[in-house]
Amino acid sequence: MKWLTWPFRLLGFLLWYAWELVLSNVAVTQDVFTRRHRSSPIVVRYRTRCRSEFETVLLSVLISLTPGTLTLATVARPRDGADGAGSAGDDGDARTEGYDIFVHAMYSEGPQDARSSLQEMETHMLNGIRPGGAPR
């Protein structure tokens, strides 16, 4: 049944992301053209729920395209007991448990605020691109 809603979820994600881009552009533009700067830069490590390199790269690109945020690095979390003998499958590297990304955010009230914004973006993205929807 989720396959039937997939195109609508993807469209909903694209519309949500377009709106987030507008809001981010307004915030950065306002900060540039006013005397009082509202930026409070922070770098956070975010543990993603992405299962593949594609999802991780897409999330990283979406973060970097959003004004005021930039993906600095992506780190694969190795599985416990990974000896390097695994083979890559459809869901990424068999030796990888998941991915962490380091993000520089310009407008955040703290690490938890930045992580919750990243989680919101990731949830919308995964719900839009995965036929089965985002994990709960």
Side-chain angles (χ1 to χ4, degrees):
M1 188 62 162
K2 290 203 175 208
W3 277 89
L4 296 174
T5 63
W6 184 30
F8 300 107
R9 288 185 284 118
L10 181 58
L11 179 62
F13 164 67
L14 293 173
L15 293 172
W16 175 85
Y17 185 73
W19 180 245
E20 289 296 312
L21 277 178
V22 169
L23 293 178
S24 297
N25 275 299
V26 167
V28 171
T29 303
Q30 183 180 17
D31 202 29
V32 168
F33 289 113
T34 59
R35 287 180 182 235
R36 184 176 159 260
H37 293 286
R38 299 180 315 113
S39 65
S40 54
I42 189 169
V43 175
V44 295
R45 182 176 190 155
Y46 178 70
R47 186 178 188 102
T48 70
R49 293 171 289 154
C50 298
R51 294 188 300 222
S52 68
E53 288 181 6
F54 169 75
E55 291 175 350
T56 306
V57 169
L58 181 59
L59 179 62
S60 297
V61 168
L62 292 170
I63 289 168
S64 293
L65 285 175
T66 305
T69 57
L70 179 66
T71 301
L72 301 174
T74 303
V75 179
R77 291 188 309 269
R79 288 190 188 274
D80 292 335
D83 60 358
S87 62
D90 290 337
D91 286 337
D93 193 339
R95 294 165 288 172
T96 300
E97 178 184 325
Y99 301 89
D100 291 351
I101 56 175
F102 289 86
V103 178
H104 179 269
M106 288 294 294
Y107 303 98
S108 182
E109 296 176 10
Q112 194 55 41
D113 180 51
R115 286 186 189 100
S116 67
S117 296
L118 293 169
Q119 184 177 17
E120 180 184 15
M121 179 182 286
E122 181 185 33
T123 300
H124 281 280
M125 181 201 75
L126 292 177
N127 197 38
I129 67 169
R130 286 183 182 169
R136 299 277 174 199

